Amino acid sequence: MDPRELGFTPQRPVGWLAPLLLLSTGLRTLLAILFGAYLDKRELQNALDGGWFDHSQTEDGELWLDYVADLGDGFDATYSVAYLLAQPDLDLGDGPLPRGRLLLMGGDQVYPLASGDGYESRMKGPYRAALPEPPSGAPRPTLFALPGNHDWYDGLTAFIRLFARRKDGHIGGWSTEQRRSYFAVKLPANWWLFAIDEQFGAYIDDPQLLYFEQAAQQVGPDDRVMLMTPSPKWVKSADRPEDYDAIDYFIRKIIDPTGATTRVLVSGDLHHYARYSDPDRELITCGGGGAYLLGTQNLPDELIVPQPETLTRSRSVSRPYAFRKSYPDAAQSRRMGWGVFRRVPTRNPGFVTMLGIIHVLTMLAMAGASAGNAGIVQRLFSIPLAVMLVLIISGAVAFAQPPKADKPKHSRHWILGLLHAFAHIGLAAGGTWLWLTLPFHDWTWPGPLVVAVVVYGPVIGFVATQVTALYLLIASYFDVNVNELFAGQGIEDAKSFLRMHIARDGSLTIHPIGIDKIGRKWTATPDDAPDTPWLHPETPLTPHRIEPPITVR
């Protein structure tokens, strides 16, 4: 896979525990939270074309469409999903499912941070390689994309340049039509697609509300709506009831007055498949487009949406939604969690190095504090023990991400974070005791420093990583740092996407599709037809149904 021939550089999966990435992403997130209103380009989008899109007229009155989210990570996983989406049809054993005329991307089209180069290498390049040209003898499919939080980290600049081009907008064989970061699409058989852009879940801006108010004028009482959101706030509101308020407001103020019904809510952001439903509505999370897998073992058996605890007085009537299916399931997710001891060190060597440095400095500080005859140079070099202890405690507590004190169950984050810190302090004390029993500490300076860095550092770094891995595994049982447990492992398998079909009778059938094993070895086929993939997997990909088709009428 020569980048000069592909036109992009295939990327390795993001190492989410890499120290510089943790620092960079944390700073970007903080800046986005503090100055998000100044970076928000949704208000400026009011000057762009504001029409809705009509894909309701088809030759046979039917429409196939695909949904994928959280895709712009490592090449192997992203391209495996793109390759299947680009195939003319998929046969899952009970008949072919044709390729979608619409491809809906549900957010986080690039990781870890949005940029032109990032989109080119992690999203646009792989999808162009999967479908280089419009399919021969068939209508050209159309791509619509909704931004997620990672797309927002540059204020949406790169996203708009890629997906909202005015002329000749296309990504490989897919054309792009949208002009804003949100869109409304009329579908066959009285179906509509509304995709709303919540900037970090804060609110829905006035120009966006006006756009959908105008689109909703075309919606009638017999119509049904599929609502795309950047994040499954119906799941997240279980811990933060206010998270669902913006979605609930949109449904009450924009959709409900038309008399139409919101039958399906779909989102990515959580990197797995999960479905909740009641007789009138399906709530689907499908974030398996390429990013690291997130386990499902902590999903509740039932959701109440909206949460009764929300402070919004005019909220919709709260209704229970029963858990239906997840991929992977809870038992498999727990088994995958145990891989943290093996995968975190191999996937994140920089994290091992960082912990090794911290423990070497802490050990030297402890040894220096206990050695009364230490030389002046050694004393000047040693970081004061108190500083290192504060660093370890504050870092471990911050890693546990404690919410505000007014949030329920906030104490578990503090307790687990402190226990994690004390475990590292205990390890440092044990390492210091061992160090002082060996002859190295009596060598002429800087001999002890050299041995500490070359010998002690790698060993203690690996052991400290195992301590953190054990913490992540234990904390996940208390619903703390579950994301970090799986992000640190970077599991690329168990991907998922949706293939949907609107029939002439108005029924919407949703086919959740899973991929247990992604492709990792590829064969170039430069002499194939222009509309066929540039690369084919050496071992055939085997998509399967996650659950039986879901029919919505």
Side-chain angles (χ1 to χ4, degrees):
M1 293 189 295
D2 190 335
R4 291 171 296 181
E5 296 179 354
L6 292 174
F8 68 96
T9 303
Q11 300 293 308
R12 293 175 56 83
V14 175
W16 287 101
L17 294 184
L20 292 179
L21 178 60
L22 286 173
L23 178 61
S24 176
T25 304
L27 290 175
R28 289 287 190 108
T29 304
L30 179 62
L31 290 174
I33 293 173
L34 295 177
F35 303 106
Y38 302 99
L39 298 174
D40 195 342
K41 289 183 173 60
R42 293 178 305 174
E43 304 282 353
L44 301 179
Q45 293 180 60
N46 196 36
L48 303 177
D49 296 340
W52 51 275
F53 304 93
D54 191 348
H55 285 267
S56 62
Q57 303 301 316
T58 62
E59 292 182 0
D60 55 4
E62 302 184 356
L63 182 69
W64 287 87
L65 55 161
D66 294 328
Y67 176 89
V68 64
D70 303 282
L71 53 138
D73 202 330
F75 173 81
D76 289 337
T78 298
Y79 186 73
S80 294
V81 176
Y83 178 87
L84 293 175
L85 289 170
Q87 295 301 300
D89 56 61
L90 296 177
D91 192 349
L92 305 181
D94 52 0
L97 304 180
R99 174 178 50 217
R101 286 276 302 276
L102 299 184
L103 174 57
L104 310 174
M105 292 185 172
D108 288 345
Q109 278 70 241
V110 66
Y111 292 98
L113 304 171
S115 67
D117 291 341
Y119 280 114
E120 184 69 35
S121 296
R122 292 188 179 273
M123 178 268 157
K124 183 179 178 180
Y127 272 77
R128 185 175 65 241
L131 187 65
E133 298 291 340
S136 176
R140 183 170 190 165
T142 302
L143 185 155
F144 290 94
L146 184 68
N149 60 304
H150 288 269
D151 300 292
W152 261 102
Y153 284 148
D154 71 337
L156 222 59
T157 299
F159 178 93
I160 293 176
R161 288 175 179 171
L162 177 61
F163 295 106
R165 295 171 57 186
R166 288 179 177 270
K167 296 182 180 180
D168 190 31
H170 69 91
I171 295 175
W174 287 278
S175 64
T176 56
E177 293 183 353
Q178 70 191 84
R179 296 294 177 260
R180 304 186 181 191
S181 61
Y182 45 87
F183 47 89
V185 184
K186 184 178 182 180
L187 305 173
N190 297 327
W191 276 93
W192 280 82
L193 170 70
F194 283 0
I196 59 174
D197 177 11
E198 298 176 88
Q199 186 239 12
F200 296 106
Y203 66 97
I204 302 176
D205 55 293
D206 281 346
Q208 184 173 181
L209 291 174
L210 178 61
Y211 170 89
F212 283 108
E213 285 174 355
Q214 294 173 346
Q217 293 176 5
Q218 311 299 319
V219 179
D222 295 329
D223 291 348
R224 289 148 295 179
V225 177
M226 180 191 309
L227 182 61
M228 281 176 57
T229 68
S231 179
K233 298 303 177 62
W234 47 91
V235 176
K236 298 185 177 185
S237 66
D239 292 325
R240 299 183 298 272
E242 68 277 6
D243 277 6
Y244 187 75
D245 289 348
I247 296 176
D248 187 50
Y249 178 87
F250 183 87
I251 294 174
R252 287 187 291 107
K253 296 298 184 180
I254 303 298
I255 300 176
D256 286 351
T258 68
T261 56
T262 305
R263 301 289 280 120
V264 178
L265 272 66
V266 62
S267 177
D269 189 54
L270 300 181
H271 306 164
H272 55 232
Y273 171 84
R275 180 170 70 93
Y276 292 83
S277 68
D278 77 349
D280 299 321
R281 185 174 294 172
E282 299 290 339
L283 308 178
I284 299 175
T285 305
C286 188
Y292 64 87
L293 175 71
L294 177 63
T296 61
Q297 67 268 37
N298 293 94
L299 291 175
D301 294 330
E302 183 183 74
L303 294 175
I304 305 297
V305 182
Q307 286 289 327
E309 290 80 7
T310 180
L311 298 180
T312 302
R313 292 186 176 182
S314 56
R315 62 177 172 82
S316 301
V317 176
S318 297
R319 296 188 296 181
Y321 291 81
F323 172 81
R324 302 300 184 186
K325 185 67 176 181
S326 68
Y327 175 72
D329 62 24
Q332 185 179 4
S333 296
R334 292 190 186 94
R335 289 194 297 270
M336 288 178 170
W338 283 89
V340 66
F341 299 102
R342 171 174 55 89
R343 293 193 183 99
V344 166
T346 56
R347 296 278 188 178
N348 307 273
F351 186 72
V352 179
T353 302
M354 180 188 70
L355 290 183
I357 292 173
I358 291 174
H359 273 270
V360 165
L361 295 176
T362 305
M363 182 275 292
L364 292 175
M366 287 184 172
S370 62
N373 58 348
I376 184 64
V377 177
Q378 184 177 354
R379 285 185 176 276
L380 289 175
F381 178 81
S382 298
I383 296 177
L385 179 57
V387 173
M388 291 308 302
L389 295 180
V390 169
L391 175 64
I392 291 174
I393 292 173
S394 59
V397 171
F399 188 68
Q401 303 173 19
K404 296 179 180 178
D406 60 342
K407 300 296 181 181
K409 305 176 183 178
H410 70 278
S411 59
R412 68 175 65 175
H413 295 263
W414 288 95
I415 294 172
L416 288 167
L418 289 172
L419 290 175
H420 185 202
F422 294 151
H424 279 285
I425 292 172
L427 178 62
T432 303
W433 173 84
L434 178 62
W435 175 262
L436 293 176
T437 62
L438 298 174
F440 306 126
H441 73 281
D442 289 327
W443 288 5
T444 304
W445 193 261
L449 175 62
V450 174
V451 175
V453 172
V454 175
V455 179
Y456 182 82
V459 174
I460 198 66
F462 177 79
V463 175
T465 303
Q466 296 302 303
V467 169
T468 297
L470 178 61
Y471 158 77
L472 288 172
L473 185 63
I474 294 174
S476 68
Y477 285 90
F478 298 90
D479 204 16
V480 174
N481 284 130
V482 178
N483 184 64
E484 287 71 26
L485 172 67
F486 285 90
Q489 297 187 62
I491 300 172
E492 295 185 273
D493 292 318
K495 293 293 162 276
S496 58
F497 62 92
L498 305 178
R499 179 149 288 179
M500 297 178 279
H501 177 229
I502 298 177
R504 285 190 295 269
D505 63 4
S507 62
L508 169 68
T509 303
I510 303 172
H511 303 269
I513 299 174
I515 313 160
D516 288 342
K517 296 292 183 181
I518 65 168
R520 289 179 169 84
K521 294 183 179 180
W522 307 93
T523 301
T525 54
D527 298 327
D528 283 359
D531 61 343
T532 58
W534 291 344
L535 305 168
H536 294 271
E538 291 187 5
T539 301
L541 300 173
T542 54
H544 63 87
R545 294 189 184 278
I546 294 174
E547 62 174 320
I550 306 147
T551 300
V552 182
R553 300 185 185 277

